[in-house]
Amino acid sequence: MCITTGFKKIVAGALMATTFMASAALAITPDELREKGKAVIGVQMDQFPWGFIDEAGKNEGFDIDVAKLIAADLGVEPEFFRITGQNRIPSLTTGQVDFLVPSMTVTAERAQVIQFVLPYSSNNITVWARTDAEITKNEDLGGYVIGVNRGSAFEPILSDAAPQGTEIRGYEDDATTVQALLSGQVDAIVGSKTYGIVIQNTGRGDGYEAKYKVADNIQAMAVRKGDQEMLDYLNDFVTRHDAELDELYLKWIGQDRADLPTELPGVDFTGKAGN
Amino acid sequence: MNYTFDFTPIFQAWGLLAQGAWATVYISAISMALGLVFGIVLTALRMAPLAPLRAFAIGYIELVRNTPFLVQVFFIYFGMPELGLRLNAMEAAILTMTLNCSAYIAEIVRSGVESIRPGQIEAGKALGLSTPDVYRFIVFRPAIRAVYPSLCSQFVLMMLNTSLVASISAQELTYAAQMIDNRTFRSFEVYFVLGAIYLVLSQLFSVGLSMIGRVYFSYPTK
């Protein structure tokens, strides 16, 4: 009987904790981070060259350098938290990270759940396919099996762009999506322009090529809704460190950083509208 | 910030979830049937008088039971195309599930067979039963009956394991749920409902399997 009561208590406790976590104010400010001396930053660890683990087991990539730059600017130690396409929004909203440096596409749907900072990078959404596949426009996708990272913003974009009835296969992350193309499980994949660097690195670059650009892909960091001070700080950071961000983009992506919009339909970068 | 629970987007997508649940049942049922057949063949090999056959069965069972299921699924789906065997996600899922569960089933069935005392087989022969009949009525059926509860829990475990094949894009229940999550960002609600559906499915499997057991093993023992 004692066990049952104890168990019931645990269950009730767990439920309460869930509700509490879901509803509590998880707000943080730059000052609080300075006081703690560290910032938990959500970064990708499987997206070369944006965020990945190098041979020595260290975090590397464009986002990592950006995150380090922010930490140095704040005067705190960065602690990297692994995010994936599937968990990045929950990891932010449930308070597991202080903010995200995620190379995440800005979309109006996501902007309803999290607060985007002003864009800091971009990355064309591109169709990659075997050289012999005849794909030059959206309508051509219908004749092929198309792979996509199903936790990404590419997936809804592909679903909209491809003709009705196109066979679309969703994979866990970017690495398995590229793997699906290389092992012939799909004819083409839709995703980042930088998949090309990954394909090239496998030594099989000759068999595949970029077919066409499906859409722009504007990427931004994100904080929790209501973390106004964090948002103001990061918006200021992105503006102040324009030159350094250009440099890092060129270093990792191998191209010049494009001009980035400061306004996008359905997205409020100031955190002030509708609150 | 206050989080308000909202299950409507999940229920709006019930068609996707139903399709996914059907695929999960489909993959599980086929792999169970094939796995049982291969498992019994493996048991026979494992207990065969010829040493190479025994060695093969032991090697296979150890290999399968000591490597993660996810690795096996990736190997078959992403690895085998390099050797010329390209299976689509559904085929790869069913093949891996079958290969995987046959090894576990073989071990379960073997313990059942070993519980049959040699005296019973001799008694069968003394009563004039033919060798196939001895194996059928005195070895196989009582052996399966003895281990039927373990077999059932293995089957349910296997059904739950199908959630892992979402990672090779097999469009089953977990895949459907992750799709909905990616569109709605309602992680709590999506995975809550997903868990509930799996719970219902396991209960249905348990009840179904125990009914089959009741019919097939309804003969008296004493």
Side-chain angles (χ1 to χ4, degrees):
Chain A
M1 194 202 86
C2 267
I3 295 169
T4 326
T5 331
F7 180 70
K8 270 183 191 157
K9 265 187 196 156
I10 291 168
V11 171
L15 279 176
M16 269 174 62
T18 320
T19 327
F20 177 73
M21 267 173 55
S23 63
L26 296 156
I28 49 132
T29 64
D31 282 339
E32 280 168 19
L33 292 182
R34 287 191 194 101
E35 214 166 281
K36 278 195 293 181
K38 71 163 193 187
V40 184
I41 307 173
V43 292
Q44 316 240 26
M45 298 192 185
D46 53 9
Q47 276 206 315
F48 185 85
W50 304 95
F52 61 98
I53 309 278
D54 70 2
E55 287 84 355
K58 282 188 8 213
N59 291 86
E60 278 292 358
F62 174 73
D63 284 338
I64 308 302
D65 280 354
V66 173
K68 284 179 183 162
L69 199 60
I70 298 172
D73 189 71
L74 269 171
V76 301
E77 278 296 311
E79 183 183 317
F80 296 120
F81 180 95
R82 180 175 191 257
I83 55 166
T84 65
Q86 309 281 350
N87 81 0
R88 54 193 168 185
I89 291 176
S91 71
L92 180 65
T93 53
T94 59
Q96 286 167 301
V97 300
D98 294 322
F99 57 93
L100 299 175
V101 184
S103 279
M104 173 162 57
T105 308
V106 180
T107 68
E109 292 78 28
R110 287 174 176 168
Q112 291 176 4
V113 190
I114 54 176
Q115 174 62 53
F116 280 112
V117 179
L118 285 169
Y120 72 117
S121 65
S122 68
N123 172 18
N124 294 344
I125 298 178
T126 306
V127 176
W128 288 93
R130 282 196 323 273
T131 317
D132 62 4
E134 287 172 13
I135 302 176
T136 54
K137 54 185 186 303
N138 288 344
E139 288 70 43
D140 299 338
L141 295 175
Y144 295 91
V145 181
I146 317 290
V148 67
N149 174 349
R150 67 169 182 272
S152 68
F154 313 137
E155 189 272 318
I157 290 172
L158 170 61
S159 296
D160 290 341
Q164 274 276 298
T166 303
E167 195 181 332
I168 295 174
R169 310 219 66 101
Y171 296 91
E172 209 100 302
D173 50 33
D174 282 11
T176 38
T177 307
V178 172
Q179 185 56 49
L181 177 67
L182 294 178
S183 61
Q185 290 289 4
V186 297
D187 302 309
I189 53 178
V190 171
S192 159
K193 177 82 180 161
T194 52
Y195 284 2
I197 308 176
V198 181
I199 296 171
Q200 207 65 47
N201 284 349
T202 63
R204 296 199 253 179
D206 293 345
Y208 305 91
E209 62 182 14
K211 295 295 186 183
Y212 71 100
K213 172 180 144 183
V214 184
D216 279 322
N217 184 9
I218 305 298
Q219 302 177 140
M221 308 171 200
V223 299
R224 276 180 288 277
K225 276 201 175 293
D227 274 3
Q228 190 64 41
E229 282 180 56
M230 244 1 260
L231 174 66
D232 293 343
Y233 166 74
L234 286 172
N235 270 339
D236 178 54
F237 173 89
V238 171
T239 323
R240 263 190 298 130
H241 290 266
D242 208 36
E244 280 106 321
L245 290 171
D246 279 346
E247 217 171 278
L248 289 176
Y249 193 86
L250 186 63
K251 171 185 166 193
W252 286 105
I253 316 302
Q255 297 163 13
D256 283 330
R257 198 162 69 112
D259 286 333
L260 297 165
T262 51
E263 282 174 17
L264 284 172
V267 185
D268 164 43
F269 292 114
T270 65
K272 294 194 171 111
N275 274 352
Chain B
M1 190 191 87
N2 283 303
Y3 190 82
T4 335
F5 294 102
D6 182 7
F7 285 89
T8 40
I10 287 93
F11 293 126
Q12 271 164 6
W14 71 271
L16 262 175
L17 286 173
Q19 269 175 16
W22 169 243
T24 290
V25 171
Y26 177 82
I27 296 173
S28 313
I30 293 187
S31 317
M32 267 177 210
L34 293 177
L36 184 61
V37 173
F38 287 132
I40 290 166
V41 171
L42 268 179
T43 310
L45 293 178
R46 175 79 173 75
M47 304 179 88
L50 283 173
L53 293 180
R54 283 204 304 273
F56 167 79
I58 292 172
Y60 177 84
I61 292 168
E62 290 302 310
L63 177 71
V64 169
R65 300 210 318 164
N66 292 293
T67 48
F69 178 73
L70 198 58
V71 172
Q72 296 167 2
V73 132
F74 276 148
F75 182 77
I76 295 211
Y77 184 73
F78 286 122
M80 293 310 278
E82 309 291 354
L83 302 179
L85 177 72
R86 180 168 304 126
L87 297 173
N88 71 32
M90 209 61 163
E91 294 161 353
I94 291 175
L95 177 64
T96 319
M97 297 288 310
T98 303
L99 294 178
N100 181 277
C101 83
S102 63
Y104 287 91
I105 289 174
E107 285 299 87
I108 295 173
V109 173
R110 184 169 65 99
S111 69
V113 171
E114 282 176 349
S115 73
I116 309 291
R117 270 176 251 125
Q120 277 176 270
I121 298 171
E122 284 158 16
K125 285 182 181 156
L127 285 170
L129 287 175
S130 66
T131 310
D133 278 351
V134 168
Y135 275 100
R136 190 173 154 203
F137 293 113
I138 298 182
V139 180
F140 181 69
R141 239 167 114 174
I144 297 284
R145 170 154 135 160
V147 295
Y148 196 67
S150 326
L151 269 185
C152 291
S153 68
Q154 182 61 38
F155 283 149
V156 169
L157 206 62
M158 215 180 91
M159 191 275 291
L160 296 177
N161 249 343
T162 57
S163 61
L164 289 170
V165 303
S167 47
I168 57 160
S169 83
Q171 300 177 344
E172 43 67 78
L173 189 52
T174 302
Y175 183 95
Q178 287 177 344
M179 280 303 208
I180 298 170
D181 185 37
N182 189 34
R183 299 293 179 90
T184 62
F185 312 110
R186 291 274 168 197
S187 303
F188 180 93
E189 292 89 332
V190 167
Y191 292 110
F192 187 85
V193 170
L194 179 64
I197 298 176
Y198 273 114
L199 186 64
V200 170
L201 284 182
S202 350
Q203 293 303 314
L204 288 178
F205 266 86
S206 298
V207 170
L209 287 167
S210 81
M211 274 164 66
I212 293 173
R214 216 171 295 156
V215 172
Y216 187 65
F217 302 118
S218 62
Y219 59 86
T221 41
K222 280 175 188 152

